[in-house]
């Protein structure tokens, strides 16, 4: 398993992730405790590379988790890494976007195992996993309107495939976390289990899936991905939507949102 | 605020709606008690105009409600205003359709605050709001099959984005109201709150949303609208669907449905 | 009603289905007890023909059920009838696929009344009915990954219209049955009723629907079918998906899956 | 061949068409000389039925022509048969629309053999044939703007698949005929041949096509039909287009257009 | 006609356009001789406003032309006005893009009357007119690869609707002008007429179109616009295309292209 | 340039292709004279690999040609390599299909330089190049109906983007070659030049394109590819088309077509 060690050592300390294979199940562990598992570029690149290695090694099922003992599953984007003002903050080539696509295109199930709070882009990452197993400490918030950051269409599609439209809107427009019980009721979580059983229950389901026919699973997953990710939109309409997004990320409000966040104060938005 | 008074006085008494701005939140109140808040053309035009004014004034969040003390939130279409037999009863330029589009395209959240029963087109209007807050008196029914009225594709898309397909079908094929608790379970309602807290709870959520970045919210809402309203359908298939609809609104059954409604008796449909 | 008797006598004994009309409601009863109502070709052809006859006779509502007293509603595909290795096991012209389309295109509601367990393709058939009424004995499993059978896009769309994406994936990737209560919570079942009331409750809802305007219902149902079944996919992407499916049904794993099933042992999949 | 004679005798004299099979090629001849082969409903129904019979008899190639000696191939719609004012003049169920679809869906090539002038809907019919062979007397005009008749989307798609957009617009906005040479240059005509060779050349190509593999041809033709006829359009956009069309066919201008045509005078359009 | 004079005086001298109505035909004349009719922002805004005024006044047909005596119809974008490096040079809200949409959505025919050479974005503008009438001095080039400017999807769709794919590619990849005769052959030009007859011929066709039913023409034009401009593309694919475009407009090559143009030398591109 | 030599030596003799770079232009030469440049699997794999190498080396423009002195540019598919009866003869993973996609996705122009006759799949390959330069010896035929081979949707889209629908149908339904002059008129060929100038003219255009901005060209080409190749089709419709294709490639006629070809006699098709 030296290949995975190699990946582990390749990157800056902030990229801290664990890469293991247990009982044939690939396990990716976010373990940058100091940065609350912020989805930093180097960490994202390591996740993407690890998924590629797993795929080459025909690992049938992957579990994505945070290190044991953390109360924050992930704090989402690292705000200090967002592109400079006036640039699209969620471009196609963003390392997080690449990781989301790598999870969605992985030729086997990827299970999010969630203990603790999940913020912003990390919620998108959890929804990009095929199923979600969580304990009662889990909570989920999607927070771009706190910053003035205009989310992108594919990101919104990730939510729309999972949650009713009015719930998607409530989550996005209030930026308020939902607790585990509500999240289970709303369908974010497949299995809500007691904390003590989270690991065993997740491994059990992973092993069950790993015993099924991999090529059939891969074909089914990929068809579902196309159905959900490839929603067609008229070119002209899409260019209009990009314009709305651009107005937002070029606005004074977006600068104010970032500044307020860094200064740990409430932002004062003007709609400009 | 004289502009809003002007809108209020511009129209026939049957258009009775209230237009207020409280704490920066726009509040639209249906108050035609005598007509049970039927969605009459003049009322719809006023709603559309009010939303346009709110947008000009950069009102960030809108609440749509019925007047306090009414047991019917809205009785839906005013049957006496439906187009003459043989004409499409739900054309694109219908004032209700225009209001639905105005709500869906409003560049900020529109909250439906529901006390009492919601019938027919009014259910479509509630679903066109971004989120729904209701108390235990709320109930919802979609009733076109009582009249023989063939619903339109965009109207159906409004339900499909909110409710599972089999529930949409049950609601449409039985025309039976669902009670508040069921509606919350099914996902029609975001928050089900006790009657006494309906107003304060709604205002609280409205204020919370009003504090978020407006341009980002507008870009997110518009992207979600395109994803849900712009479902592409092959031209030839669409023309075939129009033909099915035409057969229904040109049928004897449709005339029977309208007649029975006006005579307050059960219709006898023949499938012709 | 001799026409329906004629259909009944036309086919081999394994096609055993009952065809009745009660109170104007068409009732189709799966009654091949010995074969656990496996969805054999001749049975499927009879179902399709019966639906065509019902449509000609303007039967407004149809109930699809298993014979009273059976613990298995249907065991799904008859594995012995699957096409020879290397051929697409779910082609467009497959008799089951034809029945699914006949149910979905029937110009009036089709109600699945479910007592007992529902397996594989039979789950797809239940979801293709407009609404589902079940008792506490009902359970549902979708099992292609036990065989290595790559499900088809339209089949997946049937699930996607009814269930959240992550639940669809859990069902497909674990092939584990969900019990009636869970199924109701997840939205598979519209009404979960005590066993003793299953028949009367179903007939009541059927009669209620039969009293509504048939042409309007037909137009509404057909529009919903187009919205859900006609999801557009880029031609090139679709051909790529077929290739993934082909790799699966030409694989050694698929042969192993079928063999293991027939030998009643666990399959050992290699991903090849 | 009595079946075809039966079809021939089934209809009113105005339906005059000839139905023959020569060398295995089906030949449909428009022969209502008195009405200049106007596309009357009864004639259209006979064409559709004849194509169905040909398909049953596995006729591999069909030729559609006017009777020898006529200077008008077809004068297009019979204006006196257009639906009453205020109704869509080109509904899906219109007999001409049905014939167009029958030609386009015929499981083998349909060749338009054109001598003389082709007007209005007849131009649409010629473009719906798979290839066009014409002599120098041929001319083509599409004339709905002379009447104020708003053409339908599928009809426009028939032109768009054949001609460059700016030529489609010139033809529609001027309603002026183009002569054979221009039509060949623009691509309306596949082969422009001297009058004396029109029949022999057409039969030669028909025979050549009839010698090719029919199932492969049918699969190719149907794929091309889907590519060209099934252009997806967002539901909401389509409903808006219907509204524009409705405004036109409910307008005073449309009544004026029809009146002027019947009174053989220039219409005076007001844009209302 | 003072309204049009008002528009004329509203703007900076560089906006020089003529706005006239002759025989009910609206005539827009590009007359910034000093700047070779470069498509400067202020000129574009005036064109857009003039089209809006024409539409309000129910002008049925519009002619777009350059001032008599100019050898350059338009030199295209004013390079000095392109957005700063790193910004999308062809955003949705660009004044030229707005003019293109205003021409395409004008509720009546817009005729491009072309004498002289047409460069870059001006070629897009000519193709956005409904028909093109030109004399032998006309030539057309599309030049973004001289600058390294990544054209946008809607712009490409304007070409694809008019010209065969391989010709579109030749024009874009060589940036070489095609002469009038070739352009007529390729279908860019509807009518190629001698210089001396250009004005009279154009006016004749304009008058002919102006005599036709305006509502029917508007409905036909708008349907054709939707068919051609609303090509659906999967959201994820579109975001990938934007990324390719972004790489180009953020590249050193793009800066080199602009610099070389301003310094009137050959650019040296590195593909970086 | 040893890498290219390596590719050249890697394969069986039947893979004979030449790979050169002249003046920065990549040149791929089909040179299997004995097999008339049939599109054999090993040759296709080498073409695909060579294009990948060119892309890595940032070769800006590629020319695809046959060896000097050959009268056949390519005879198309090698019939002896078609999949066994009952299998899709044009699957997504077919080496020719891979080469077509590699040409279409190449991040720079690919020019087909054509001397001699082009048959079957080779015609598809020529149309997949961005532009076509040919001399008067060139001819083009698309011949699947001679074999009974049902062409695939993406293949048909390659023709539809280049040629008017009725010409596509004529070519496919007659399987007759068109000569160079006709092909130029129809738009298959961009430049028809005398034999003696074919090479120099092609190199000249290639060099011109190579001097333009590569990133902008790549973005433009890829956008055009998506517009043309990603035509969305409803999943259910696509599965129906596959069924039509399957009926053809499982038919007796297809076996007869292959047999007749190998026995060098006329096939006798029965439509079965
Ligand atoms: Ni099955
Ligand atoms: Ni430009
Ligand atoms: Ni081939």
């Amino acid at each position: 398993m030296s290949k995975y060690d190699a990946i582990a050592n390749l990157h800056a300390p902030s990229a801290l992730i664990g890469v293991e294979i247990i009982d044939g199940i690939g396990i990716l562990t976010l373990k940058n405790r100091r940065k609350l598992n912020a989805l930093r570029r180097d960490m994202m690149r390591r996740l993407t590379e690890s998924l590629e290695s797993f795929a080459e090694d025909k690992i049938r099922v992957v579990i994505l988790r945070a290190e044991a003992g953390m109360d924050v599953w992930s704090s989402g984007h690292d705000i200090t890494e967002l592109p400079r003002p006036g640039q699209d903050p969620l471009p196609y080539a963003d390392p997080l976007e690449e990781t989301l696509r790598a999870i969605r295109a992985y030729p086997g199930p990827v299970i999010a195992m969630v203990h603790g709070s999940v913020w912003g882009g990390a919620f998108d990452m959890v929804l990009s996993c095929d199923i979600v197993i969580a304990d009662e400490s889990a909570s989920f918030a999607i927070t771009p309107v706190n910053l003035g950051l205009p989310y992108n269409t594919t990101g919104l599609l990730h939510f729309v495939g999972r949650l009713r439209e009015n719930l998607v809107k409530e989550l996005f427009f209030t930026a308020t976390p939902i607790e585990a019980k509500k999240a289970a009721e709303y369908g974010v979580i497949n299995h809500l289990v007691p904390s003590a059983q989270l690991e065993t229950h997740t491994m059990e389901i992973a092993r069950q899936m790993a015993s099924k026919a991999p090529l059939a699973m891969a074909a089914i997953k990929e068809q579902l991905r196309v159905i959900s990710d490839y929603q067609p939109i008229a070119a002209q309409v899409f260019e209009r939507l990009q314009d709305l997004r651009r107005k937002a990320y070029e606005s004074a409000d977006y600068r104010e949102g970032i500044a307020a966040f860094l200064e740990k104060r409430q932002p004062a938005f003007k709609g400009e």
Side-chain angles (χ1 to χ4, degrees), chain A:
Chain A
M1 218 169 321
S2 55
K3 176 168 67 177
Y4 298 108
D5 290 340
I7 298 178
N9 294 327
L10 211 76
H11 293 269
S14 66
L16 287 166
I17 73 162
V19 184
E20 293 164 286
I21 296 173
I22 299 180
D23 292 0
I25 311 295
I27 300 177
L28 297 172
T29 306
L30 310 179
K31 49 202 297 186
N32 189 344
R33 206 175 279 260
R34 207 169 52 85
K35 291 282 185 181
L36 300 173
N37 286 338
L39 305 172
R40 296 167 67 88
R41 280 183 208 140
D42 43 8
M43 187 196 256
M44 291 304 101
R45 286 203 191 97
R46 276 205 57 207
L47 282 180
T48 304
E49 285 164 25
S50 303
L51 287 165
E52 281 162 10
S53 296
F54 281 167
E56 274 164 29
D57 292 353
K58 303 216 171 182
I59 298 300
R60 296 190 185 175
V61 178
V62 175
I63 293 170
L64 178 62
R65 57 169 295 175
E67 197 173 24
M70 290 187 69
D71 288 339
V72 175
W73 193 84
S74 162
S75 58
H77 267 101
D78 186 331
I79 307 296
T80 62
E81 283 191 350
L82 284 178
R84 69 174 196 276
Q87 297 296 97
D88 188 339
L90 296 171
Y92 185 82
D94 185 89
L96 170 56
E97 297 292 316
E98 279 172 356
T99 303
L100 298 181
R101 290 197 298 271
I103 292 171
R104 300 176 84 82
Y106 190 81
V110 179
I111 302 173
M113 180 184 115
V114 182
H115 172 92
S117 53
V118 178
W119 300 91
F123 192 178
D124 199 343
M125 196 157 85
V126 164
L127 290 180
S128 290
C129 295
D130 295 299
I131 73 166
V132 180
I133 303 176
D135 67 22
E136 65 281 355
S137 73
S139 72
F140 303 87
I142 181 74
T143 51
V145 298
N146 283 345
L147 295 174
L149 183 154
Y151 223 64
N152 55 350
T153 309
T154 47
L156 291 168
L157 281 169
H158 301 162
F159 284 80
V160 166
R162 285 294 177 85
L163 296 163
R164 298 184 315 271
E165 229 178 58
N166 49 338
L167 185 56
V168 174
K169 285 171 168 178
E170 183 183 338
L171 290 171
F172 269 94
F173 293 162
T174 64
T176 304
I178 47 168
E179 300 307 314
K181 218 186 121 194
K182 210 82 192 153
E185 198 182 291
Y186 285 165
V188 171
I189 295 172
N190 286 58
H191 293 252
L192 178 57
V193 295
S195 238
Q197 298 161 29
L198 183 58
E199 293 198 17
T200 50
H201 190 79
T202 304
M203 277 304 284
E204 201 175 306
I205 288 183
R207 268 188 297 254
Q208 187 182 18
M209 288 180 173
S211 74
K212 306 299 180 182
L215 296 176
M217 281 204 292
I220 289 166
K221 177 168 171 176
E222 180 65 5
Q223 289 180 84
L224 289 169
R225 184 179 76 86
V226 164
I227 289 171
S228 135
D229 285 11
Y230 277 33
Q231 208 85 291
I233 294 178
Q236 188 160 97
V237 172
F238 208 98
E239 291 181 358
R240 181 170 63 75
L241 294 176
Q242 292 321 299
D243 194 56
L244 278 178
R245 294 186 64 243
R246 184 179 300 118
K247 284 204 180 88
Y249 64 69
E250 289 180 349
S251 69
D253 273 2
Y254 181 46
R255 285 191 297 275
E256 161 68 5
I258 301 283
F261 180 90
L262 297 175
E263 299 163 20
K264 304 191 183 203
R265 59 166 172 87
Q266 284 300 105
F269 294 118
K270 304 222 163 99
E272 283 160 13

